């Protein structure tokens, strides 16, 4: 039998598309296309054209919708239009104050499984599916022409690439991307490490929250899970002294460089396990006026949500106990599986266990450059609260 180059999907798969979600799982692909990874036309079982999707033969997420128009042509020009629209949305961030932000947030920008982050004059890209990998040349060409960036690097070492049947490696795309890039973030400077740092070299999703917490910080401050000191740099602008805690030696090495870069002398760096550190601070009766909790994703999948919640509750309970009266806690979670309601419930439980009157001052989410599309829950993962100990 000669197979067609289009895909046929089930009614359930088609319904998902109609509800604004771009993914079609393998179980909803009735007839896979006889094509290599790339863009394929998709039809329902009645033969109706549904549009175009990225095709990933090895993935559980077989098809990712990119265009509802069956007559679209998915070429370099098409990618240029999509990426230009995404990058134009970031115009408010394109100032001398912020030189590191996300240009493309995958499904959130209609470019499934594509990540592109700007660090000053360079771009770090992640091609996270076989379907998007097939358009590497078109995407690189469009990014170069839209941004005029000096160099690009592919951080294709992300683990999800294995599930797509793709190799994991870091490789240059164009020009030369430095090992460390100095970037500006609302009055502070830090060094991103595009080749070796976590994710694409820095955590950009907390940028606005760092500025927010920096603006209300005071007294003795604590930055837990500090990575290269990003929150600590902002806290130090208005707090008297800051302790930054992380378990990663290399991250703290860069934190030390970042402190020097900003001429800061009031920040102490501590290499420790956060759980143990918080517990011992409570035990010795320490008190802080400002605390930040920005842990890694404790829940990597749905099965680990309960354990993750216990972990979040533990650190939040301890942080609440450490607050002076009137003290502020900024607490975040980047676990997609810990939903907003679960996170708020955890904060409530921690406050009850802490026995303090904890007042909700703000609920935070994702910034402009990490768009959370309401019909695509997976585009949203970061949530946080700013709370105050009122008694
Ligand atoms: N706040 C940072 C990002 C933190 S990412 C920023 O805004 O840039 C999470 C950090 O937690 C990583 O740096 C990781 O090294 C650290 N980490 C993970 N497990 C830890 C633990 N048990 N104790 C202390 N730090 C931990």
């Amino acid at each position: 039998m000669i197979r067609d180059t289009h895909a046929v999907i089930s009614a359930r798969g088609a319904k998902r598309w109609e509800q604004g979600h771009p993914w079609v799982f393998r179980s909803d692909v009735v007839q896979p296309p006889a094509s290599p990874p790339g863009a394929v036309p998709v039809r329902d079982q009645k033969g109706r054209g549904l549009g175009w999707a990225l095709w990933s033969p090895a993935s559980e997420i077989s098809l990712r919708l990119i265009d509802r128009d069956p007559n679209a042509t998915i070429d370099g020009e098409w990618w240029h239009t999509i990426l230009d629209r995404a990058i134009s949305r970031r115009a408010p961030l394109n100032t001398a104050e912020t030189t590191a932000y996300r240009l493309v947030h995958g499904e959130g920008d209609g470019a499934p499984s594509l990540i592109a982050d700007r660090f000053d004059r360079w771009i770090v890209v992640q091609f996270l599916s076989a379907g998007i990998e097939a358009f590497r040349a078109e995407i690189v060409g469009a990014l170069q022409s839209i941004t005029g960036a000096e160099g690009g690097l592919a951080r294709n070492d992300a683990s999800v690439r294995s599930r797509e049947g793709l190799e994991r490696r870091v490789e240059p795309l164009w020009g030369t991307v430095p090992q460390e890039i100095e970037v500006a973030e609302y009055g502070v400077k830090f060094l991103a490490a595009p080749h070796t740092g976590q994710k694409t070299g820095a955590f950009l999703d907390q940028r606005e929250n760092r500025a927010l917490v920096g603006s209300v910080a005071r007294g003795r401050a604590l930055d837990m899970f500090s990575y290269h000191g990003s929150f600590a740099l902002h806290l130090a602008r208005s707090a008297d002294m800051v302790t930054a805690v992380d378990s990663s030696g290399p991250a703290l090495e860069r934190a030390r460089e970042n402190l020097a870069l900003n001429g800061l002398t009031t920040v102490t760096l501590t290499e420790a396990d956060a759980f143990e550190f918080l517990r011992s601070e409570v035990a010795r009766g320490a008190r802080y006026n400002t605390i930040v909790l920005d842990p890694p994703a404790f829940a990597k999948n749905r099965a680990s949500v309960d354990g993750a919640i216990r972990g979040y509750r533990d650190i939040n309970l301890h942080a609440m106990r450490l607050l002076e009266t009137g003290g502020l806690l900024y607490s975040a979670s980047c676990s997609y599986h810990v939903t907003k309601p679960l996170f708020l419930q955890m904060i409530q439980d921690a406050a009850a266990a802490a026995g303090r009157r904890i007042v909700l001052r703000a609920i935070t989410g994702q910034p402009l450059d990490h768009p959370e599309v309401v019909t695509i829950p997976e585009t949203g993962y970061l949530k946080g609260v700013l709370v105050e100990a009122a008694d």
Side-chain angles (χ1 to χ4, degrees), residues 55-78:
W55 160 234
S56 284
S59 176
E60 271 309 306
I61 307 171
S62 302
L63 296 164
R64 294 170 169 91
L65 175 69
I66 50 172
D67 199 317
R68 287 174 187 277
D69 178 3
N71 299 315
T73 306
I74 313 301
D75 55 9
E77 203 183 309
W78 188 93

Side-chain angles (χ1 to χ4, degrees), residues 260-279:
L261 196 61
N262 291 277
L264 292 172
T265 53
T266 53
V267 182
T268 308
L269 303 174
T270 304
E271 187 173 336
D273 173 74
F275 291 85
E276 287 170 18
F277 180 89
L278 288 169
R279 197 158 292 133

Side-chain angles (χ1 to χ4, degrees), residues 253-301:
E253 268 315 304
R254 229 171 29 259
R256 198 170 308 284
E257 290 184 67
N258 287 333
L259 296 179
L261 196 61
N262 291 277
L264 292 172
T265 53
T266 53
V267 182
T268 308
L269 303 174
T270 304
E271 187 173 336
D273 173 74
F275 291 85
E276 287 170 18
F277 180 89
L278 288 169
R279 197 158 292 133
S280 71
E281 287 296 271
V282 170
R284 76 175 178 91
R287 285 286 180 274
Y288 292 90
N289 304 93
T290 314
I291 302 178
V292 171
L293 293 177
D294 185 25
F298 289 160
K300 301 282 186 212
N301 50 51

Side-chain angles (χ1 to χ4, degrees), residues 198 202-207 210 223-231 245-249 251 272-276 292-298 334:
Q198 296 191 35
F203 296 93
L204 302 176
D205 49 7
Q206 292 279 31
R207 186 185 53 253
R210 290 192 282 258
D223 176 13
M224 297 302 299
F225 307 93
S226 65
Y227 191 52
H228 57 206
S230 349
F231 272 97
V245 180
D246 201 281
S247 57
S248 158
D273 173 74
F275 291 85
E276 287 170 18
V292 171
L293 293 177
D294 185 25
F298 289 160
C334 60

